[in-house]
Each structure stands twice: as structure tokens, then as C-alpha cells.
């Protein structure tokens, strides 16, 4: 018997917004979840922004979300490090989203003999900082990265992102990082824990087969792929796994939220 869907996880870019503009059905979907009192989180691999920053950006597009409804790869990384070594230290390459998350988790940010080197996303990667990270990893610091995305978008075209810089550090040190963000199902499980949800009654909505859908599948969730982002219909056939359902946009889910929560008749 198919279980009801009472909790939801959703990717942000390509599902709810695109370049600062709300996608069709996104405000209504969030409102349906809130009105139905469904636990939910909006996930993003972007580690640049704090939840407060993201809330303001989404509000500007007409999507009303509380800070507590946002779960970033920076927050997931901070939670992972606290679980691994409470009160540890880290040398961080990243912006406010990552440094704030680690600081609030009780981590000491230092370049002097840290327990971890933590690499996140920034628009201004410093050669000096990357060199320092390489030397610290060579000296025994454990290498963590927020997410494996190799490029990020800009108005001028792709920018090198966390995965690309991680590859540079790996090439220099021979040490692979542990990536916390999607497609690692750990990010999904940490999100489930945050809203006290169970995988059997939770669904993941995403626009990418290689991150959102595979992470959801590996975490035991039902998965909905929307075609408003990176994945085209013909791309789906290239993967050896399938989402539960492929939809044109998140608008196709709005009216079905109560139906899914009710479960089979």
C-alpha cells in the first residue's frame, strides 16, 4: 500500500525560483504546505548565503518562507562537523553562509593547526587561501567540502564552484574531500531529522536527476522531478534510475498536496 506524503523537501533554484523570479506555482505550493501544516524544508547546495539572506531573496520574488524552513549545504556541513567532533576547529574558504553556520555550531575558525579544512562556495576564490588549504591538508587536516558542484551560474556565464576548487586541492594533496551536500543522501537525512520527518512519508522535489533525485532515492524518499530547471525530458532516459514522477513544474503538485497527505482511499 502506498503511504501518504505528509512531509516535503524541495530544492530551491530551478524548482521555486530562477534568477530571482518565482517559477509557476512556487508561492502557491509553499502556501499549500504551510496551510496544511505539513513539515517541509527548502534545500540548496549554495553555501554562500545565510538563511536570513535567502529568506529576503525569496521574499523579493513573492515566496514567503521562514528562515527555519531553509536548509543549506553550509548548515548541513556544520551539523556534520558537530556530529563528528563537537567544539572542533576549521580553516574555512567560503562566505557568510558557511562561516556563520560553523560559528553558531560552536566551531573555532582558525588557520593555525585546524582539525578540518572546510571548502565552500565564494565568488572570490583566493589563490593565497587555496594555497593555505593545500598546506593544511598536507599537514593532516581533514578535508571537507560543502558540495560537489563544479560550476555556478552568473549573468556572464558559468563560474568555477566548490567542486572545481576541491579538484585543485585534491590534485595538489592526493586527498579527496568528503562532500556533504547533494547528491550525498546525508544532506537529505539531516533535513529529515531537522523537521522530525520519516523517509517513508516524505517526498523530494527537484530539477536535477544527478543531485536532487538520486539523493532522494538513496535516502528512501519518493521523488518528483520538475522540468523548470536543469533537466530536460530527454535527459531522464540517460540515467539508470527514475523519479517517482516527472512533472512540468511544481504547479502540478499544488492541488495534490492534500490528496497525497490523505493517502490511498
Amino acid at each position: 500500500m502506498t503511504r501518504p506524503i505528509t512531509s516535503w523537501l524541495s530544492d530551491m533554484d530551478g524548482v521555486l525560483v530562477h534568477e530571482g523570479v518565482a517559477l509557476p506555482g512556487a508561492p502557491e505550493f509553499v502556501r499549500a504546505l504551510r496551510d496544511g501544516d505539513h513539515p517541509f524544508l527548502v534545500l540548496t547546495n549554495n553555501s554562500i548565503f545565510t538563511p536570513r539572506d535567502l529568506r529576503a531573496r525569496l521574499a523579493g520574488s513573492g515566496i514567503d518562507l521562514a528562515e527555519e524552513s531553509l536548509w543549506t549545504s553550509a548548515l548541513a556541513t556544520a551539523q556534520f562537523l558537530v556530529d563528528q567532533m563537537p567544539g572542533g576547529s576549521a580553516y574555512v574558504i567560503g562566505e557568510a553562509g558557511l562561516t556563520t553556520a560553523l560559528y553558531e555550531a560552536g566551531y573555532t575558525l582558525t588557520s593555525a593547526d585546524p582539525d578540518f579544512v572546510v571548502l565552500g562556495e565564494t565568488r572570490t576564490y583566493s589563490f593565497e587561501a587555496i594555497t593555505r588549504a593545500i598546506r593544511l591538508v598536507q599537514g593532516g587536516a581533514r578535508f571537507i567540502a560543502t558540495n560537489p558542484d563544479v560550476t555556478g551560474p552568473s549573468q556572464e556565464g558559468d563560474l568555477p564552484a566548490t567542486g572545481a576548487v576541491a579538484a585543485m586541492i585534491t590534485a595538489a594533496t592526493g586527498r579527496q574531500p568528503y562532500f556533504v551536500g547533494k547528491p550525498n543522501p546525508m544532506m537529505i537525512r539531516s533535513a529529515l531529522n531537522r523537521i522530525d520527518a520519516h523517509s517513508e512519508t516524505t517526498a523530494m522535489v527537484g530539477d536535477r536527476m544527478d543531485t536532487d533525485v538520486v539523493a532522494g532515492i538513496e535516502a528512501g524518499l519518493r521523488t518528483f522531478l520538475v522540468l523548470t530547471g536543469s533537466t530536460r525530458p530527454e535527459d531522464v532516459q540517460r540515467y539508470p534510475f527514475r523519479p517517482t514522477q516527472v512533472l512540468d513544474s511544481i504547479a502540478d503538485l499544488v492541488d495534490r498536496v492534500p490528496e497525497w497527505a490523505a493517502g490511498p482511499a
Side-chain angles (χ1 to χ4, degrees), residues 9-12 40-46 49 51 54 65-80 101 180 182 186-195:
L9 304 179
S10 172
D11 184 42
M12 187 172 71
F40 73 96
L41 280 180
V42 173
L43 279 58
T44 176
N45 262 359
N46 190 318
F49 301 107
L54 292 172
L65 273 179
E67 291 179 38
E68 294 75 20
S69 296
L70 290 152
W71 189 241
T72 70
S73 64
L75 294 172
T77 297
Q79 183 61 59
F80 170 75
V180 175
K182 299 175 293 181
M186 172 172 289
M187 185 169 176
I188 304 294
R189 287 194 288 269
S190 65
L192 292 173
N193 290 338
R194 186 173 175 86
I195 59 174

Side-chain angles (χ1 to χ4, degrees), residues 93-174:
I93 298 177
E95 297 197 15
L98 182 56
T99 56
T100 301
L102 289 169
Y103 177 79
E104 292 182 348
Y107 255 63
T108 299
L109 308 185
T110 180
S111 61
D113 194 27
D115 300 308
F116 298 92
V117 165
V118 183
L119 175 66
E121 191 172 352
T122 172
R123 297 294 169 86
T124 55
Y125 283 111
S126 156
F127 186 77
E128 181 182 354
I130 293 169
T131 300
R132 182 64 181 160
I134 287 169
R135 291 172 182 169
L136 290 171
V137 171
Q138 288 173 332
R142 280 162 280 186
F143 186 18
I144 305 293
T146 56
N147 63 286
D149 302 41
V150 293
T151 61
S154 79
Q155 291 184 343
E156 294 78 29
D158 285 346
L159 295 171
T162 310
V165 179
M168 184 190 307
I169 296 173
T170 294
T173 63

Side-chain angles (χ1 to χ4, degrees), residues 7-29:
S7 305
W8 293 82
L9 304 179
S10 172
D11 184 42
M12 187 172 71
D13 293 306
V15 177
L16 300 181
V17 292
H18 177 67
E19 295 184 354
V21 178
L23 288 165
E28 293 81 4
F29 178 72

